[in-house]
């Protein structure tokens, strides 16, 4: 399968490109093309020291310019990866489907329920797989919690809290050019992970959302909701509070701070599920401060999301749920492509519910659409029109 990646920013550097290089190493994908608007982005990506160390003999075909043109030039029934700013996802996914491509799209799929429905219908009609990369689903702890919750071990979720704060320096990145009040906000950008996870674990559906956002100026003068406090109410009356921001101090350990606690009722006693998703038990003090942005002398690295390990083959091997998520999604594309009835295969994968597809993760678009309305109206409660 040939792979065309639209977008060459942070997530492509940190997770997507190295994961595809690893799949190339394993013989699961062929040529990789990366398309970004500017030559400079592609040059920086190609020069990345970490990626070169890990994959000294790998490279990608660089295409600067419009992602639509790059997608239109792909050979049918291959794979397009959409890693563009949130508000471009719908256009890029549709362009990929029109070019007869399977699609892997970074979260969030789209910002509106109606757009998600159009994608679902179009992909199903053409027998093409669309998968959304909610990689927290592939953190083993999420899969363990899901199995135990569904076996009844926690009773019923009633009240929860989730936090994901990115570092302050994000404000200086390319984010300031697109993660602005009219396009997105801290909840839409990062909070969606925990909303998806609560559904993934409990299978509950969201029914209403309110998001209070605080707007700040980026260094380039544009305005973004860089602090957000959200309340999501679920089909059984449970309530999840989600706090997100681009505010975690650059001098604090770890690349962010994040975690989730769900308080549950077992009928005659309480139950609880708590994940510290940032502090995973590692405490490092380096002799010198590493060069990467936000790096600190005292660090609490996560061995679970995405790391490189030396397995003695002359390069480095990506490990963690960031890699496993991409591997699983590519496996789904291959499964659909090889199926005698591709439409059936798509339905089967959606029904299994492990990977997010447009058909089985509508809750995300519902919450995001309601959240955007709410944050733009100062935090009003917005009901989800047709809860699942
Ligand atoms: N944890 C996660 O799952 C996670 C983390 C980070 C980002 N993301 C998602 O990934 C997407 C990209 O985020 P990022 O952090 O990489 O952002 P970024 O700003 O670093 O990169 C965006 C890229 O898109 C490219 N681009 C923009 N407009 C384009 C166009 N018209 N044609 C071609 N290329 C264009 C830019 O050149 C840039 O390379 C967003 O949807 C974001 O929500 C997901």
């Amino acid at each position: 399968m040939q792979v065309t990646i639209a977008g060459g920013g942070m997530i492509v550097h940190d997770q997507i490109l190295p994961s595809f290089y690893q799949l190339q190493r394993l013989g699961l994908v062929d040529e990789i093309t990366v398309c970004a608007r500017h030559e400079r982005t592609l040059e920086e990506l190609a020069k990345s020291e970490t990626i070169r160390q890990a994959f000294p003999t790998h490279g990608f075909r660089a295409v600067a310019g419009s992602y639509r043109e790059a997608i239109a030039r792909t050979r049918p029934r291959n794979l397009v990866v959409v890693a563009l700013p949130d508000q471009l996802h719908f256009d890029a996914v549709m362009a990929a489907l029109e070019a007869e491509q399977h699609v892997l799209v970074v979260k969030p799929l789209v910002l509106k329920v109606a757009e998600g429905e159009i994608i679902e219908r179009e992909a199903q009609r053409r027998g093409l797989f669309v998968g959304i990369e909610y990689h927290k689903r592939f953190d083993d702890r999420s899969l363990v919690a899901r199995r135990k919750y569904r076996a009844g071990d926690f009773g019923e979720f009633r009240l929860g809290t989730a936090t994901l704060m990115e570092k302050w320096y994000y404000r200086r990145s390319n984010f300031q050019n697109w993660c602005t009040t009219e396009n997105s906000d801290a909840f839409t950008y990062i909070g969606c992970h925990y909303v998806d996870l609560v559904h993934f674990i409990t299978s509950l559906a969201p029914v209403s959302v309110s998001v209070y956002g605080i707007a700040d100026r980026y260094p380039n003068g544009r305005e973004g909701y860089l602090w957000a406090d959200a309340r999501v109410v679920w089909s059984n009356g449970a309530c999840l509070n989600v706090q997100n921001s681009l505010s975690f101090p650059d001098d604090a350990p770890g690349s962010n701070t994040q975690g989730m606690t769900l308080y549950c009722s077992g009928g005659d006693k309480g139950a609880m599920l708590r994940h510290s998703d940032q502090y995973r038990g590692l405490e490092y003090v380096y002799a010198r401060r590493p060069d990467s942005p936000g790096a600190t002398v005292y660090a609490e690295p996560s061995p679970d999301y995405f790391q490189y390990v030396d397995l003695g083959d002359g390069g480095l091997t990506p490990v963690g749920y960031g890699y496993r998520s991409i591997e699983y999604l590519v496996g789904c594309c291959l499964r659909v492509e090889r199926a005698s009835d591709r439409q059936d295969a798509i339905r089967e994968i959606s029904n299994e519910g492990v990977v997010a597809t447009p058909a089985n993760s509508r809750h995300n678009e519902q919450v995001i659409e309601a959240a955007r309305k709410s944050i733009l109206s100062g935090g009003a409660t917005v009901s989800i029109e047709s809860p699942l």
Side-chain angles (χ1 to χ4, degrees):
M1 199 162 258
Q2 295 193 335
V3 182
T4 303
I5 303 175
M10 184 188 73
I11 194 73
V12 172
H13 174 272
D14 292 359
Q15 181 195 347
I16 291 175
L17 182 61
S19 295
F20 275 101
Y21 278 167
Q22 178 62 19
L23 294 173
Q24 206 174 39
R25 194 180 258 165
L26 297 175
L28 289 168
V29 303
D30 300 328
E31 194 189 32
I32 298 171
T33 300
V34 181
C35 166
R37 251 185 323 178
H38 307 293
E39 297 267 4
R40 197 187 55 241
T41 310
L42 296 162
E43 283 163 15
E44 277 168 18
L45 188 61
K47 276 195 313 215
S48 159
E49 200 40 51
T50 328
I51 299 181
R52 277 158 58 124
Q53 255 183 27
F55 300 96
T57 59
H58 292 239
F60 60 83
R61 204 167 66 85
V63 176
S66 142
Y67 61 80
R68 272 203 157 255
E69 281 173 26
I71 291 172
R73 283 199 295 269
T74 51
R75 279 213 309 251
R77 308 211 71 89
N78 284 289
L79 171 62
V80 164
V81 180
V82 176
L84 298 162
D86 299 355
Q87 73 278 12
L88 299 177
H89 291 186
F90 179 62
D91 184 63
V93 173
M94 289 307 288
L97 293 175
E98 282 155 21
E100 291 293 318
Q101 302 294 304
H102 299 284
V103 188
L104 186 166
V105 52
V106 295
K107 61 81 213 158
L109 170 62
V110 283
L111 303 175
K112 295 216 158 62
V113 172
E115 293 174 346
E117 288 170 348
I118 294 171
I119 290 173
E120 180 192 342
R121 277 197 300 274
E122 196 56 21
Q124 187 67 32
R125 189 175 75 76
R126 292 174 183 263
L128 293 165
F129 177 73
V130 176
I132 308 131
E133 209 272 320
Y134 278 99
H135 47 237
K136 281 192 184 298
R137 290 181 175 215
F138 293 89
D139 190 344
D140 285 340
R141 62 183 56 186
S142 307
L143 288 155
V144 171
R146 181 176 194 254
R147 186 171 64 76
K148 288 186 178 292
Y149 187 94
R150 290 180 183 215
D153 294 358
F154 292 106
E156 191 180 6
F157 166 50
R158 304 302 292 157
L159 211 54
T161 174
T163 308
L164 206 173
M165 311 291 193
E166 299 287 7
K167 281 202 158 170
W168 186 276
Y169 77 85
Y170 268 46
R171 295 165 182 235
R172 296 191 291 274
S173 76
N174 190 42
F175 270 47
Q176 55 188 322
N177 294 319
W178 65 268
C179 198
T180 44
T181 45
E182 68 282 15
N183 292 327
S184 193
D185 53 78
F187 174 73
T188 298
Y189 172 61
I190 23 184
C192 61
H193 276 297
Y194 280 108
V195 172
D196 182 64
L197 211 51
V198 167
H199 170 83
F200 184 65
I201 292 170
T202 66
S203 80
L204 292 167
V207 295
S208 76
V209 181
S210 62
V211 187
Y212 173 67
I214 305 172
D216 257 2
R217 295 248 170 234
Y218 283 106
N220 67 358
R222 296 197 189 178
E223 201 170 55
Y225 288 114
L226 304 186
W227 318 75
D229 183 274
R231 171 186 282 192
V232 181
V233 176
W234 300 80
S235 40
N236 67 341
C239 178
L240 177 77
N241 167 251
V242 191
Q243 291 196 328
N244 303 108
S245 68
L246 272 59
S247 77
F248 193 48
D250 290 351
D251 291 331
S255 47
N256 52 39
T257 186
Q258 52 174 315
M260 175 180 78
T261 307
L262 303 184
Y263 295 98
C264 304
S265 164
D268 58 350
K269 52 168 73 83
M272 185 188 82
L273 182 167
R274 179 180 288 159
H275 290 177
S276 165
D277 288 337
Q278 179 258 310
Y279 181 67
R280 293 183 184 236
L282 276 66
E283 298 180 50
Y284 287 3
V285 180
Y286 301 116
R288 271 188 308 278
R289 196 168 80 85
D291 291 335
S292 48
T296 46
V297 167
Y298 170 75
E300 293 171 356
S302 164
D304 298 338
Y305 165 52
F306 196 96
Q307 292 289 346
Y308 293 101
V309 296
D310 184 351
L311 296 180
D313 58 2
L316 300 173
T317 302
V319 291
Y321 62 86
Y323 168 71
R324 290 199 298 276
S325 163
I326 303 281
E327 185 189 43
Y328 194 97
L329 283 155
V330 170
C332 291
C333 295
L334 293 170
R335 182 170 150 192
V336 170
E337 189 51 32
R338 290 168 183 161
S340 53
D341 185 332
R342 289 175 175 146
Q343 291 169 329
D344 246 14
I346 294 169
R347 274 189 288 268
E348 249 174 47
I349 295 171
S350 284
N351 289 339
E352 286 162 8
V354 176
V355 78
T357 67
N360 74 16
S361 67
R362 188 97 67 233
H363 56 277
N364 289 318
E365 284 83 66
Q366 289 178 328
V367 167
I368 285 172
E369 185 168 346
R372 291 295 301 156
K373 281 187 195 150
S374 175
I375 202 166
L376 290 167
S377 66
T381 299
V382 177
S383 297
I384 287 170
E385 270 173 32
S386 315
L388 301 172

